């Protein structure tokens, strides 16, 4: 009589294919191997994905800047590059303990987010990050242009954009919509250059300091308005609220004030 085979793997393989034990063990092993492969691929691809996202954002920024009148010449004079700064939104100053390299990790911590009260949450975000990465074009100590990432709720979902503000921090130089879920043919027209073309030269605040920017219901009729989109009133309201939030005291307001006072 042949001796008992104590090798568990050979004993498993020797079981008939109809064996419930064999089926369960093989299924478990296949699942475990697949999980390890997926996890490994995620770890290996994460730096590539992060780099691709950064490259896409830089491409959008470059495209935005090129479409702002006179910006090409200014970039050439300044060496053709924008400086990147991580801002502490509460103080409006450059963050001392967060860099562009550590920002993503910092924002993965819920402690670095601020819950917004219903009355102040114009953009409908619920929470606002404590830090934001912005881009500045300088001529010596003078800031010529600030590129500010903004986000808010539209009709179909979240809208992400980058707003370019001139050095006076009260005149919009341009806008680039980077992500949205608005209705095709209606609210989705916010990504059209023809609509975005109404932003340059629009003022944010009146002489008293009150934010007056808004998306008109039709054609803009004041220095504080941009053209509305027919049939997309709720999308326009979302843009209005998004801009008012981020350019106000709970967004970039402290930064804007510091730049206007020459303290940044």
């Amino acid at each position: 009589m042949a001796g008992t085979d104590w090798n568990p793997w050979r004993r498993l393989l020797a079981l008939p294919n109809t064996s419930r034990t064999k089926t369960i063990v093989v299924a478990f092993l296949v699942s475990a191997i697949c999980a390890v492969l997926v996890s490994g691929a995620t770890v290996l691809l994460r730096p590539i994905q992060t780099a691709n996202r950064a490259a896409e954002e830089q491409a959008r920024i470059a495209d935005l800047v090129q479409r702002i009148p006179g910006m090409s010449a200014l970039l050439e004079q300044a060496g053709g590059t924008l400086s990147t700064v991580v801002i502490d939104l509460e103080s409006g100053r450059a963050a001392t303990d967060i860099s562009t390299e550590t920002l993503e990790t910092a924002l993965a911590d819920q402690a670095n987010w601020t819950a917004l009260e219903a009355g102040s949450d114009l953009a409908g975000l619920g929470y606002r990050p404590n830090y934001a990465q912005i881009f500045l074009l300088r001529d010596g100590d003078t800031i010529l242009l600030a590129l500010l990432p903004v986000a808010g709720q539209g009709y179909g979902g979240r809208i992400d954009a980058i707003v370019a503000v001139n050095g006076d921090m009260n005149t919009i130089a341009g806008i680039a919509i980077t992500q949205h879920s608005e209705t095709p043919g209606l609210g989705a027209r916010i990504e059209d250059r023809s609509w975005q073309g109404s932003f340059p030269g629009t003022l944010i605040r009146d002489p008293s300091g009150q934010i007056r920017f808004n998306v008109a219901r039709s054609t803009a009729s004041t220095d504080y308005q941009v053209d509305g989109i027919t049939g997309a009133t709720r999308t326009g309201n979302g843009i209005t609220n998004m801009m008012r939030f981020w350019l106000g005291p709970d967004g970039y307001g402290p930064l804007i004030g510091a730049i206007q006072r020459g303290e940044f």
Side-chain angles (χ1 to χ4, degrees):
M1 179 181 295
T4 301
D5 188 348
W6 296 103
N7 187 301
W9 180 246
R10 284 199 295 266
R11 292 178 64 186
L12 174 67
L13 294 178
L15 292 174
N17 291 336
T18 56
S19 168
R20 178 177 298 178
T21 300
K22 184 175 184 180
T23 301
I24 292 175
V25 171
V26 171
F28 172 79
L29 290 175
V30 171
S31 299
I33 292 171
C34 290
V36 170
L37 291 175
V38 170
S39 298
T42 299
V43 172
L44 291 173
L45 292 175
R46 183 175 294 119
I48 298 175
Q49 294 170 337
T50 300
N52 287 341
R53 287 196 297 270
E56 290 174 359
E57 183 178 30
Q58 290 292 342
R60 294 191 188 100
I61 292 170
D63 179 64
L64 169 64
V65 171
Q66 293 300 323
R67 288 190 277 119
I68 298 172
M71 277 298 103
S72 296
L74 289 174
L75 282 175
E76 291 176 2
Q77 294 172 9
T81 59
L82 294 167
S83 63
T84 303
V85 185
V86 175
I87 297 298
D88 181 325
L89 289 172
E90 183 175 355
S91 66
R93 307 289 179 164
T96 57
D97 53 351
I98 305 292
S99 66
T100 56
E101 291 77 16
T102 62
L103 179 60
E104 183 177 359
T105 300
L107 294 184
D109 184 351
Q110 191 62 34
N112 289 322
W113 291 73
T114 297
L116 300 171
E117 298 181 359
S120 61
D121 188 14
L122 297 177
L125 297 173
Y127 290 84
R128 184 218 67 190
N130 293 341
Y131 305 96
Q133 178 179 334
I134 69 167
F135 305 87
L136 298 174
L137 176 63
R138 292 179 181 269
D139 180 8
D141 293 332
T142 302
I143 293 177
L144 303 175
L145 187 75
L147 299 179
L148 310 175
V150 298
Q153 289 296 319
Y155 173 69
R158 180 182 169 109
I159 297 173
D160 290 285
I162 298 173
V163 178
V165 183
N166 285 330
D168 64 357
M169 300 309 293
N170 195 48
T171 306
I172 297 175
I175 189 171
I177 303 297
T178 57
Q179 179 176 303
H180 72 87
S181 302
E182 300 305 280
T183 307
L186 295 173
R189 289 176 56 199
I190 58 175
E191 66 184 3
D192 293 349
R193 290 194 177 189
S194 58
W195 179 74
Q196 296 177 17
S198 67
F199 275 76
T202 304
L203 299 181
I204 299 169
R205 292 173 172 81
D206 64 20
S208 70
Q210 180 180 353
I211 296 180
R212 295 276 305 280
F213 172 89
N214 69 95
V215 178
R217 290 188 175 273
S218 56
T219 304
S221 59
T222 75
D223 292 337
Y224 307 99
Q225 291 184 322
V226 298
D227 294 338
I229 298 175
T230 303
T233 300
R234 292 179 63 177
T235 298
N237 290 341
I239 295 291
T240 295
N241 292 331
M242 176 179 74
M243 295 284 285
R244 289 189 173 189
F245 172 81
W246 283 104
L247 298 174
D250 294 309
Y252 294 110
L255 169 68
I256 290 171
I259 292 176
Q260 288 178 325
R261 293 190 299 271
E263 297 174 356
F264 190 88

